[in-house]
Structures are given as structure tokens and as C-alpha cells.
Amino acid sequence: MPRNLFERCEVVFPVRSPEAMARIHDEILPAYLADTVKARLQQPDGSYLRARKLLKDAPLFSSQDFLMQLAEKQSRPDRHPQPRIILEG
């Protein structure tokens, strides 16, 4: 499926609530950075590779599934793996 880069609408807004900032920092961003199911990592040449191809030894983790389980109270915020970041260059 091609990426929709031309008909997108991005919204940016300040987060002023300390509780919301903590939740974004401690729950949401780490979950997305730990994703190995849907995530893609940009390569130096500008192309993208699936995270699971580059992180072959990492367990499968879906941030979307995790966040849905968290919203349904079927998981806890500390149940996501540590983010694995690859830096090349």
C-alpha cells in the first residue's frame, strides 16, 4: 500500500497537562519505538525496511495491539519491551 504523503492533515498542539505529558513519555512513545510488527526504519538512502527484518532477534511487538489492550485495561503500561533503536552512519 503506498504511503499517503500528499493528502494528509497533521495536527500539532501543545500538551500542557503534566499527566498527559507523562503518559506520552512513559507509555505511548516507548510503545511505538518498540514496535517490531508494523514499524519501518528509514535507511541512509531514504528507503524504508520493516523493523522485523532488521531486528530479527527481537520479539514481535505490536504497538497498536498493546495500546488497545492498555485502553481496555487488559495490559499495564510497563508491559512493552524496551525500544530498540538502530543508528547507522
Side-chain angles (χ1 to χ4, degrees), residues 1-87:
M1 178 169 64
R3 311 229 350 123
N4 179 2
L5 300 176
F6 300 107
E7 297 178 18
R8 292 176 70 139
C9 178
E10 303 291 339
V11 178
V12 178
F13 54 90
V15 178
R16 295 192 173 104
S17 162
E19 294 85 11
M21 281 193 267
R23 187 156 186 225
I24 291 167
H25 183 271
D26 299 336
E27 297 174 24
I28 297 169
L29 286 177
Y32 279 114
L33 291 173
D35 193 307
T36 57
V37 173
K38 292 281 188 179
R40 282 138 175 96
L41 301 172
Q42 187 175 21
Q43 301 304 293
D45 66 359
S47 65
Y48 288 87
L49 290 176
R50 289 184 179 269
R52 67 178 156 220
K53 285 190 175 192
L54 296 172
L55 304 171
K56 294 178 181 150
D57 61 330
L60 291 179
F61 176 76
S62 168
S63 60
Q64 183 177 1
D65 291 342
F66 169 75
L67 293 171
M68 288 189 324
Q69 291 169 358
L70 194 61
E72 295 167 352
K73 309 267 190 259
Q74 296 175 358
S75 188
R76 294 191 335 240
D78 61 347
R79 291 275 171 104
H80 59 74
Q82 287 298 107
R84 309 253 327 245
I85 298 179
I86 296 177
L87 299 175

